mmCIF file of all heavy atoms in Angstrom:
data_model
loop_
_atom_site.group_PDB
_atom_site.id
_atom_site.type_symbol
_atom_site.label_atom_id
_atom_site.label_comp_id
_atom_site.label_asym_id
_atom_site.label_seq_id
_atom_site.Cartn_x
_atom_site.Cartn_y
_atom_site.Cartn_z
ATOM 1 N N ARG L 273 117.806 75.253 100.013
ATOM 2 C CA ARG L 273 116.881 74.859 101.074
ATOM 3 C C ARG L 273 116.928 75.909 102.169
ATOM 4 O O ARG L 273 118.003 76.230 102.708
ATOM 5 C CB ARG L 273 117.272 73.480 101.610
ATOM 6 C CG ARG L 273 116.242 72.877 102.572
ATOM 7 C CD ARG L 273 116.477 71.388 102.740
ATOM 8 N NE ARG L 273 117.862 71.116 103.177
ATOM 9 C CZ ARG L 273 118.512 69.994 102.891
ATOM 10 N NH1 ARG L 273 117.934 69.055 102.155
ATOM 11 N NH2 ARG L 273 119.750 69.816 103.330
ATOM 12 N N ALA L 274 115.770 76.450 102.528
ATOM 13 C CA ALA L 274 115.745 77.572 103.455
ATOM 14 C C ALA L 274 116.220 77.186 104.848
ATOM 15 O O ALA L 274 116.786 78.014 105.568
ATOM 16 C CB ALA L 274 114.341 78.171 103.527
ATOM 17 N N SER L 275 116.025 75.958 105.243
ATOM 18 C CA SER L 275 116.392 75.551 106.593
ATOM 19 C C SER L 275 117.886 75.598 106.840
ATOM 20 O O SER L 275 118.337 75.968 107.931
ATOM 21 C CB SER L 275 115.865 74.145 106.882
ATOM 22 O OG SER L 275 116.412 73.214 105.950
ATOM 23 N N ASP L 276 118.704 75.231 105.825
ATOM 24 C CA ASP L 276 120.148 75.160 106.040
ATOM 25 C C ASP L 276 120.987 75.713 104.891
ATOM 26 O O ASP L 276 122.224 75.664 104.947
ATOM 27 C CB ASP L 276 120.573 73.727 106.323
ATOM 28 C CG ASP L 276 120.243 72.762 105.177
ATOM 29 O OD1 ASP L 276 119.757 73.222 104.113
ATOM 30 O OD2 ASP L 276 120.479 71.557 105.350
ATOM 31 N N GLY L 277 120.351 76.258 103.858
ATOM 32 C CA GLY L 277 121.087 76.851 102.754
ATOM 33 C C GLY L 277 121.694 75.869 101.776
ATOM 34 O O GLY L 277 122.432 76.278 100.872
ATOM 35 N N ALA L 278 121.394 74.585 101.921
ATOM 36 C CA ALA L 278 121.944 73.586 101.004
ATOM 37 C C ALA L 278 121.449 73.843 99.589
ATOM 38 O O ALA L 278 120.263 74.141 99.375
ATOM 39 C CB ALA L 278 121.552 72.182 101.443
ATOM 40 N N VAL L 279 122.351 73.737 98.611
ATOM 41 C CA VAL L 279 121.978 73.915 97.214
ATOM 42 C C VAL L 279 121.262 72.657 96.734
ATOM 43 O O VAL L 279 121.839 71.556 96.738
ATOM 44 C CB VAL L 279 123.209 74.195 96.340
ATOM 45 C CG1 VAL L 279 122.809 74.253 94.868
ATOM 46 C CG2 VAL L 279 123.875 75.503 96.756
ATOM 47 N N LEU L 280 120.007 72.818 96.328
ATOM 48 C CA LEU L 280 119.203 71.689 95.864
ATOM 49 C C LEU L 280 119.210 71.563 94.352
ATOM 50 O O LEU L 280 118.732 70.562 93.818
ATOM 51 C CB LEU L 280 117.768 71.838 96.362
ATOM 52 C CG LEU L 280 117.604 71.906 97.886
ATOM 53 C CD1 LEU L 280 116.130 72.029 98.249
ATOM 54 C CD2 LEU L 280 118.207 70.679 98.556
ATOM 55 N N GLY L 281 119.742 72.558 93.671
ATOM 56 C CA GLY L 281 119.815 72.482 92.218
ATOM 57 C C GLY L 281 120.001 73.841 91.591
ATOM 58 O O GLY L 281 119.713 74.876 92.206
ATOM 59 N N THR L 282 120.498 73.835 90.374
ATOM 60 C CA THR L 282 120.604 75.026 89.546
ATOM 61 C C THR L 282 119.956 74.716 88.218
ATOM 62 O O THR L 282 120.268 73.694 87.590
ATOM 63 C CB THR L 282 122.073 75.435 89.351
ATOM 64 O OG1 THR L 282 122.640 75.744 90.641
ATOM 65 C CG2 THR L 282 122.190 76.667 88.467
ATOM 66 N N PHE L 283 119.029 75.575 87.776
ATOM 67 C CA PHE L 283 118.171 75.262 86.648
ATOM 68 C C PHE L 283 118.204 76.384 85.616
ATOM 69 O O PHE L 283 118.323 77.553 85.968
ATOM 70 C CB PHE L 283 116.733 75.059 87.134
ATOM 71 C CG PHE L 283 116.620 74.075 88.258
ATOM 72 C CD1 PHE L 283 116.575 74.506 89.577
ATOM 73 C CD2 PHE L 283 116.568 72.717 88.005
ATOM 74 C CE1 PHE L 283 116.484 73.614 90.630
ATOM 75 C CE2 PHE L 283 116.471 71.797 89.044
ATOM 76 C CZ PHE L 283 116.437 72.246 90.360
ATOM 77 N N PRO L 284 118.094 76.033 84.331
ATOM 78 C CA PRO L 284 118.067 77.065 83.288
ATOM 79 C C PRO L 284 116.853 77.979 83.444
ATOM 80 O O PRO L 284 115.762 77.535 83.828
ATOM 81 C CB PRO L 284 117.982 76.254 81.992
ATOM 82 C CG PRO L 284 118.415 74.876 82.351
ATOM 83 C CD PRO L 284 118.009 74.668 83.771
ATOM 84 N N ALA L 285 117.070 79.243 83.151
ATOM 85 C CA ALA L 285 115.976 80.207 83.034
ATOM 86 C C ALA L 285 116.097 80.815 81.639
ATOM 87 O O ALA L 285 116.661 80.204 80.748
ATOM 88 C CB ALA L 285 116.082 81.259 84.132
ATOM 89 N N GLY L 286 115.585 81.997 81.437
ATOM 90 C CA GLY L 286 115.784 82.670 80.163
ATOM 91 C C GLY L 286 117.107 83.419 80.154
ATOM 92 O O GLY L 286 117.919 83.312 81.073
ATOM 93 N N ALA L 287 117.323 84.212 79.115
ATOM 94 C CA ALA L 287 118.569 84.968 78.986
ATOM 95 C C ALA L 287 118.597 86.131 79.975
ATOM 96 O O ALA L 287 117.675 86.934 80.031
ATOM 97 C CB ALA L 287 118.712 85.492 77.561
ATOM 98 N N THR L 288 119.643 86.203 80.780
ATOM 99 C CA THR L 288 119.887 87.233 81.784
ATOM 100 C C THR L 288 118.686 87.430 82.718
ATOM 101 O O THR L 288 118.012 88.456 82.682
ATOM 102 C CB THR L 288 120.306 88.569 81.144
ATOM 103 O OG1 THR L 288 119.260 89.038 80.279
ATOM 104 C CG2 THR L 288 121.581 88.413 80.348
ATOM 105 N N PRO L 289 118.427 86.450 83.576
ATOM 106 C CA PRO L 289 117.303 86.570 84.513
ATOM 107 C C PRO L 289 117.563 87.631 85.574
ATOM 108 O O PRO L 289 118.691 87.771 86.074
ATOM 109 C CB PRO L 289 117.216 85.178 85.130
ATOM 110 C CG PRO L 289 118.604 84.632 85.021
ATOM 111 C CD PRO L 289 119.158 85.193 83.731
ATOM 112 N N THR L 290 116.541 88.388 85.898
ATOM 113 C CA THR L 290 116.661 89.456 86.896
ATOM 114 C C THR L 290 115.655 89.217 88.026
ATOM 115 O O THR L 290 115.959 88.524 88.985
ATOM 116 C CB THR L 290 116.446 90.824 86.246
ATOM 117 O OG1 THR L 290 115.193 90.819 85.524
ATOM 118 C CG2 THR L 290 117.564 91.155 85.268
ATOM 119 N N GLY L 291 114.442 89.785 87.945
ATOM 120 C CA GLY L 291 113.461 89.649 89.009
ATOM 121 C C GLY L 291 112.831 88.277 89.058
ATOM 122 O O GLY L 291 112.805 87.543 88.058
ATOM 123 N N ILE L 292 112.296 87.919 90.236
ATOM 124 C CA ILE L 292 111.663 86.615 90.425
ATOM 125 C C ILE L 292 110.560 86.758 91.463
ATOM 126 O O ILE L 292 110.683 87.534 92.409
ATOM 127 C CB ILE L 292 112.702 85.553 90.842
ATOM 128 C CG1 ILE L 292 112.076 84.161 90.947
ATOM 129 C CG2 ILE L 292 113.398 85.952 92.142
ATOM 130 C CD1 ILE L 292 113.099 83.036 91.112
ATOM 131 N N ALA L 293 109.457 86.019 91.274
ATOM 132 C CA ALA L 293 108.339 86.035 92.216
ATOM 133 C C ALA L 293 107.682 84.662 92.225
ATOM 134 O O ALA L 293 107.773 83.901 91.251
ATOM 135 C CB ALA L 293 107.319 87.112 91.835
ATOM 136 N N PHE L 294 106.987 84.356 93.320
ATOM 137 C CA PHE L 294 106.286 83.087 93.490
ATOM 138 C C PHE L 294 104.801 83.368 93.639
ATOM 139 O O PHE L 294 104.409 84.237 94.421
ATOM 140 C CB PHE L 294 106.818 82.364 94.725
ATOM 141 C CG PHE L 294 106.184 81.026 94.996
ATOM 142 C CD1 PHE L 294 106.228 80.011 94.048
ATOM 143 C CD2 PHE L 294 105.546 80.789 96.202
ATOM 144 C CE1 PHE L 294 105.657 78.770 94.304
ATOM 145 C CE2 PHE L 294 104.969 79.554 96.482
ATOM 146 C CZ PHE L 294 105.033 78.538 95.527
ATOM 147 N N ASP L 295 103.965 82.645 92.886
ATOM 148 C CA ASP L 295 102.523 82.897 92.908
ATOM 149 C C ASP L 295 101.745 81.874 93.728
ATOM 150 O O ASP L 295 100.515 81.836 93.661
ATOM 151 C CB ASP L 295 101.970 82.971 91.483
ATOM 152 C CG ASP L 295 101.976 81.623 90.763
ATOM 153 O OD1 ASP L 295 102.371 80.599 91.377
ATOM 154 O OD2 ASP L 295 101.599 81.587 89.570
ATOM 155 N N GLY L 296 102.461 81.050 94.486
ATOM 156 C CA GLY L 296 101.821 80.006 95.266
ATOM 157 C C GLY L 296 101.867 78.660 94.587
ATOM 158 O O GLY L 296 101.703 77.619 95.233
#
Side-chain angles (χ1 to χ4, degrees):
R273 189 163 55 209
S275 60
D276 60 5
V279 175
L280 301 181
T282 298
F283 308 96
T288 60
T290 53
I292 184 170
F294 181 58
D295 70 2

